Amino acid sequence: MSVLPLVFTSGWASGINAYAVVLLLGVFGLTGVSDDVPQTLQRPEVLIVAGLLFLCEAVADKIPYVDSLWDSVHTVIRPLAGAWVGALLAGHSGSLPDVAAGLIGGSTALASHTVKAGTRMAVNTSPEPFSNIVLSFAEDLGVGGVVSIAMFHPAAAAIIAAVLLAGGLLALVLLVSRIRRFLRRRAQRREERRLASRSP
């Protein structure tokens, strides 16, 4: 399938920021940059909703602990968005290739979302808030850059996305101890709140 590199790339990007992917693809299609973008993504209401949700994510993603809460809610949303965009990019016939594209988009989105959410847990163990902001900007720029490259050089963008995904998964393995520390702190805070609510 000639669209497979774009499906893979959009799936990877959706796992990091699904709203940015929908917004970027819609704008690229609407402005005539790419003929591969389906009309559904170019509809004004889709672009407006994606733009508003992108702004919400841009704020939430830069606040320590709020970003992890946002990620937990998007554990379902991002893979579904990746699958939806992948199926749209492949076509509307409901054929086996369309279903396969949806599965590729969704599973790639789930993998990159796991990397993002895990990395954020590790970063949230740091006492300063600047690492969250820097990481968030880097993710936004990465998504924008790779999706833009995919419009002109889909195979190259897919290779970049694959390398970033593999590197992210490796980093996640190396950050396991920090992620455990984050989960312990969160459990401790919940227990403290529970005990405080029970005290007279």
Side-chain angles (χ1 to χ4, degrees), residues 40-168:
T40 304
L41 294 175
Q42 300 178 40
R43 293 172 59 172
E45 62 271 25
V46 171
L47 291 174
I48 290 168
V49 171
L52 290 173
L53 290 171
F54 170 73
L55 291 175
C56 291
E57 175 144 346
V59 173
D61 213 32
K62 292 169 180 61
I63 303 170
Y65 296 100
V66 173
D67 60 348
S68 290
L69 178 63
W70 185 267
D71 285 341
S72 65
V73 171
H74 284 76
T75 300
V76 174
I77 295 171
R78 288 176 184 150
L80 287 177
W84 178 64
V85 170
L88 283 176
L89 290 170
H92 301 280
S93 65
S95 64
L96 186 58
D98 294 0
V99 173
L103 290 173
I104 289 169
S107 58
T108 307
L110 179 60
S112 62
H113 166 75
T114 302
V115 169
K116 174 179 176 146
T119 304
R120 286 313 182 86
M121 287 181 193
V123 168
N124 281 333
T125 61
S126 174
E128 44 73 33
F130 304 109
S131 50
N132 289 72
I133 296 170
V134 170
L135 190 57
S136 178
F137 276 121
E139 289 167 352
D140 292 343
L141 290 173
V143 165
V146 174
V147 171
S148 298
I149 292 169
M151 292 294 99
F152 306 101
H153 307 287
I159 291 169
I160 293 168
V163 168
L164 290 171
L165 181 59

